[in-house]
Amino acid sequence: MRKKEMMAMLLAGGQGSRLGVLTSHKAKPAVAFGGKYRIIDFPLSNCINSGVDTVGVLTQYMPLLLNRHIGIGTPWDLDRRTGGVTMLAPYTTSEQGEWYEGTADAIFQNVDYIDEYAPEYVLILSGDHIYKMDYSQMLDFHKQNNCDVSIAALTVPWDEASRFGLMNVHEDNRIYEFEEKPPYPKSNYANMGIYIFNWDVLKDALERDNKVHKDSDFGKHVLPMLLEEGKRMYAYQFTGYWRDVGTIESYWAANMDLVQTVPDFNLYEDFQKIYTDADHQPPMYTGKYAEVRASLVSEGCEVLGKVYNSVLGTNVVVEQGAVVRDSIIMADCFIGRNSRIERCIMDTHCTIGDGVTIGVGEDVPNEKKPHIYNTGITVLGENTALPDNVTIGKNCVITGETLPGDYPGNRLESGQSILKENSTSGVRQ
């Protein structure tokens, strides 16, 4: 095969358990974002926009939807005879075979794939962040500083620095220390999980660390080892928009960033477009009495009611008299007449009856999973159906086809859950 100067390895096997029911049946990178996109569209688009045309996507947890979405990479111009996109799941041989145990272990298990292209540099990416970045500029920085390893760094507010893995650097941005969520941080340079390695350095480090740590991880093992050995490691300062959408609140907030009058993250500019695998849909339709303000409404939607400060995926129907506010409604959902939806994340193929109210009452954490659902946002899993005239509080979680008898007094109080087997009966045909 033709030698590649730099190729990318995209880590997309994570479950994203902090997203709760949104990742019950799909990997975190496959979760919808911004109406028509999926989270993995952002690093994939960054690759092709940066001239990186060889990408290995490492999958593990619930990969079916992700595999279907990426296919042979056509939307990202990655359907190529030499290079392109390759899906890399764990596999077995006559000698060994196991799940990916850590971020570096996942790369180690695919050393042969990388060697096929004999790259000089390898770009390591996470599949669960929202941002635009020109990786070719980071590669230029890597070459100019004669680096063995470059790590993208984001300056975070000092009062939030203790939540991140941090890098302490000299004046020339050479890294001299890593700190993992320190209570008293020395710097506010957060590790973004974006790395460029010289391939010979990385391959040697992976082989050596695998003999010591079967769960080999970049942050815990490989990077500290290379730093201790005196390798040239530099922090590349990134100044653009970047969001980790790993929690219900951060996922909701990142979507809401898109509907500001002047959005912090612009999906519409010609520079560094974001591509996705999207079917052609009919135009959006708004009825005579419809009202839509500060919202993203995707193709194929039919809005007869009112939508404020919300993101609607493709083929969503909002019936007459219904009001949707501060919510994320994913593709193929139906919201019945005179319903009121507020601060809700609704996964695909949900059916909401007439006269339903969501998002009222006291803001108390969810009883079953308070560490996930605690910011007033109610979440409906895919294929969920709600009967007419029920009232649902805040921090509630509902999955499956529910019936009037599931709601004593037609109510589900804040912090309560109804978890049923998801079925396709809630899918609108």
Side-chain angles (χ1 to χ4, degrees):
M1 286 190 176
R2 183 168 62 87
K3 181 177 179 179
K4 300 287 184 179
E5 181 183 30
M6 183 168 77
M7 62 184 296
M9 297 293 280
L10 179 51
L11 298 163
Q15 177 181 358
S17 58
R18 293 179 299 164
L19 286 177
V21 297
L22 298 181
T23 54
S24 293
H25 297 87
K26 54 183 170 287
K28 179 180 173 182
V31 172
F33 183 87
K36 63 183 291 185
Y37 303 99
R38 296 190 185 275
I39 294 173
I40 201 169
D41 292 337
F42 294 85
L44 279 178
S45 297
N46 289 338
C47 283
I48 203 63
N49 289 336
S50 304
V52 179
D53 63 7
T54 303
V55 184
V57 180
L58 289 83
T59 63
Q60 181 157 282
Y61 172 81
M62 293 281 185
L64 179 59
L65 184 58
L66 202 59
N67 291 340
R68 285 177 177 170
H69 178 67
I70 295 175
I72 61 172
T74 303
W76 305 274
D77 192 26
L78 290 170
D79 50 337
R80 299 175 180 231
R81 183 177 297 275
T82 302
V85 66
T86 303
M87 308 302 290
L88 301 169
Y91 62 91
T92 61
T93 68
S94 59
E95 298 177 354
Q96 64 179 11
E98 55 191 354
W99 294 111
Y100 298 145
E101 297 293 336
T103 54
D105 176 62
I107 305 300
F108 173 75
Q109 292 195 41
N110 290 281
V111 163
D112 291 345
Y113 165 75
I114 300 174
D115 271 340
E116 287 184 5
Y117 297 97
E120 189 171 353
Y121 309 102
V122 174
L123 171 67
I124 308 295
L125 303 171
S126 296
D128 52 6
H129 298 145
I130 304 298
Y131 66 110
K132 292 182 180 181
M133 183 174 179
D134 186 345
Y135 303 130
S136 67
Q137 294 180 3
M138 184 173 174
L139 180 59
D140 289 341
F141 171 89
H142 183 90
K143 294 176 180 177
Q144 290 164 8
N145 289 280
N146 193 27
C147 299
D148 294 305
V149 185
S150 297
I151 303 175
L154 184 73
T155 302
V156 299
W158 277 101
D159 59 350
E160 297 181 13
S162 60
R163 296 174 40 230
F164 294 89
L166 302 175
M167 297 173 287
N168 298 324
V169 302
H170 295 299
E171 289 185 1
D172 62 351
N173 285 319
R174 184 164 181 174
I175 301 167
Y176 67 86
E177 185 182 29
F178 292 108
E179 292 187 292
E180 184 62 29
K181 300 180 180 179
Y184 304 104
K186 300 175 186 176
S187 80
N188 60 342
Y189 294 149
N191 182 344
M192 296 172 63
I194 300 170
Y195 314 119
I196 293 179
F197 287 88
N198 293 351
W199 175 227
D200 58 345
V201 172
L202 176 58
K203 183 178 180 180
D204 175 68
L206 293 174
E207 290 173 346
R208 287 188 290 122
D209 193 65
N210 178 259
K211 297 176 182 177
V212 181
H213 304 108
K214 292 303 180 183
D215 61 344
S216 183
D217 182 86
F218 282 111
K220 294 178 182 178
H221 307 125
V222 173
L223 293 174
M225 178 181 72
L226 292 176
L227 185 64
E228 186 176 340
E229 293 173 353
K231 298 298 185 184
R232 291 179 61 84
M233 304 179 69
Y234 280 73
Y236 172 75
Q237 299 297 321
F238 177 72
T239 58
Y241 180 97
W242 179 87
R243 291 289 185 274
D244 181 347
V245 289
T247 66
I248 290 293
E249 173 64 21
S250 63
Y251 173 81
W252 178 85
N255 273 273
M256 293 301 104
D257 284 345
L258 302 176
V259 300
Q260 298 176 16
T261 302
V262 181
D264 291 334
F265 188 64
N266 193 340
L267 290 173
Y268 303 102
E269 58 192 3
D270 289 334
F271 176 68
Q272 290 187 311
K273 286 185 177 181
I274 303 299
Y275 303 96
T276 190
D277 178 27
D279 296 331
H280 291 290
Q281 305 288 346
M284 177 192 77
Y285 172 77
T286 55
K288 181 178 180 180
Y289 302 105
E291 188 173 326
V292 179
R293 294 185 182 178
S295 297
L296 288 183
V297 182
S298 302
E299 299 96 328
C301 287
E302 182 179 342
V303 180
L304 306 179
K306 299 179 179 180
V307 178
Y308 306 120
N309 200 55
S310 295
V311 176
L312 273 58
T314 55
N315 294 322
V316 171
V317 173
V318 180
E319 282 282 15
Q320 188 169 329
V323 178
V324 177
R325 191 184 302 273
D326 300 326
S327 295
I328 302 164
I329 313 297
M330 299 187 198
D332 299 297
C333 289
F334 178 90
I335 298 173
R337 288 174 173 263
N338 302 315
S339 289
R340 299 287 187 271
I341 314 297
E342 186 165 344
R343 281 181 70 85
C344 178
I345 298 176
M346 196 177 298
D347 208 339
T348 57
H349 300 292
C350 288
T351 301
I352 310 303
D354 296 342
V356 172
T357 301
I358 297 177
V360 296
E362 190 177 357
D363 189 356
V364 297
N366 187 267
E367 287 187 351
K368 294 186 176 181
K369 294 190 175 180
H371 61 292
I372 295 178
Y373 310 103
N374 54 33
T375 57
I377 299 168
T378 284
V379 182
L380 276 58
E382 60 185 355
N383 298 323
T384 293
L386 307 185
D388 296 342
N389 301 316
V390 295
T391 298
I392 297 163
K394 300 177 180 179
N395 296 316
C396 293
V397 185
I398 306 173
T399 62
E401 184 173 7
T402 63
L403 303 173
D406 297 316
Y407 302 86
N410 289 336
R411 296 185 66 88
L412 184 68
E413 300 295 342
S414 294
Q416 300 292 309
S417 302
I418 301 176
L419 305 176
K420 293 190 169 186
E421 287 291 331
N422 271 339
S423 65
T424 58
S425 56
V427 179
R428 186 164 45 86
Q429 301 296 324

